[in-house]
Amino acid sequence: MVISPTYSIFSCSCRENGNSSFCANLIQQHFSVNEIFYPCKISLQHCIGCGYCDTHKGQCIHTTKHVDTVYHLYQKIFQVQHVIFIIPIYFYHVPAPLKAFIDRSQAWFSTPQEEKPAQHTQVKIIFIGAREKGEKLFEGAYLSMKYAMLSIGAKIHTPLNLYGLDHKTDLQNNIDKQNQIIEYLKQC
């Protein structure tokens, strides 16, 4: 008997109760879920390009000054084995708040591979695009996520790219795409 992993979910839409939220709830109904985070709904401290992490590997100047929500979210990733990012595509990329989160992975970029904090973390990504087609629709977002996850040492799986989900209830009304999500998570 194969035991399904327990997931931590990052539902990354800025829109309330849309396709990303529905996707997170769908996953929660079919799989074991530890926690759901909504990074685009909290204040995230963006990289200021100060270079602090160049000399303090794995650390950011923001962490030394105040409560650092980005650092807190990364710590959640470091503590689990399976993470799912549900990411809507805005103009060929991730929502702006999530980009701030991605950029902060720079703190671990030059950390030696054997010291990277997410070495045992598996990452799956579900991209949600409004367009019906477009071979490059998810490319920029995927590359940013791929290199952010490599910076922290996580293993990233091939993403699931879902097209044609524009209106808030499109995924809720599309059983075929719901089944794609469930099958994607069963695969690896």
Side-chain angles (χ1 to χ4, degrees):
M1 177 177 162
V2 176
I3 298 173
S4 177
T6 298
Y7 292 104
S8 287
I9 299 174
F10 285 72
S11 182
C12 301
S13 179
C14 298
R15 180 166 63 178
E16 293 285 332
N17 302 317
N19 294 310
S20 297
S21 293
F22 179 84
C23 183
N25 292 332
L26 176 71
I27 293 167
Q28 195 169 29
Q29 291 171 14
H30 293 274
F31 299 92
S32 177
V33 173
N34 183 28
E35 206 166 351
I36 301 176
F37 303 97
Y38 300 92
C40 292
K41 295 179 182 175
I42 58 176
S43 177
L44 300 175
Q45 299 80 17
H46 63 278
C47 177
I48 58 172
C50 68
Y52 185 85
C53 62
D54 292 339
T55 56
H56 299 83
K57 300 205 182 332
Q59 298 178 25
C60 177
I61 194 72
H62 288 300
T63 308
T64 66
K65 294 182 175 182
H66 49 73
V67 175
D68 185 356
T69 55
V70 174
Y71 180 80
H72 172 73
L73 290 174
Y74 274 109
Q75 292 305 308
K76 294 293 186 177
I77 293 173
F78 303 159
Q79 296 169 11
V80 298
Q81 290 185 325
H82 300 278
V83 175
I84 301 169
F85 282 89
I86 304 165
I87 304 172
I89 298 301
Y90 294 177
F91 199 69
Y92 290 85
H93 217 284
V94 302
L98 183 60
K99 183 64 168 73
F101 172 81
I102 289 170
D103 290 349
R104 290 283 304 281
S105 70
Q106 180 68 29
W108 295 277
F109 176 76
S110 59
T111 302
Q113 185 62 38
E114 64 277 2
E115 295 175 25
K116 292 194 185 278
Q119 293 178 53
H120 304 292
T121 305
Q122 306 266 331
V123 175
K124 296 178 184 177
I125 302 172
I126 299 170
F127 286 121
I128 298 175
R131 293 187 55 191
E132 293 288 337
K133 60 183 178 176
E135 71 178 63
K136 305 255 186 219
L137 181 60
F138 305 105
E139 190 172 287
Y142 173 69
L143 288 174
S144 290
M145 284 298 296
K146 174 183 174 182
Y147 292 113
M149 296 301 103
L150 288 174
S151 286
I152 64 172
K155 180 183 185 225
I156 189 168
H157 292 263
T158 302
L160 173 63
N161 299 330
L162 298 174
Y163 290 89
L165 299 173
D166 188 18
H167 301 288
K168 287 177 85 164
T169 59
D170 282 352
L171 181 56
Q172 182 178 345
N173 296 325
N174 192 318
I175 299 299
D176 289 338
K177 288 198 178 3
Q178 291 177 36
N179 288 333
Q180 282 182 299
I181 292 165
I182 293 165
E183 288 306 311
Y184 170 70
L185 295 177
K186 285 181 180 178
Q187 285 175 10
C188 43

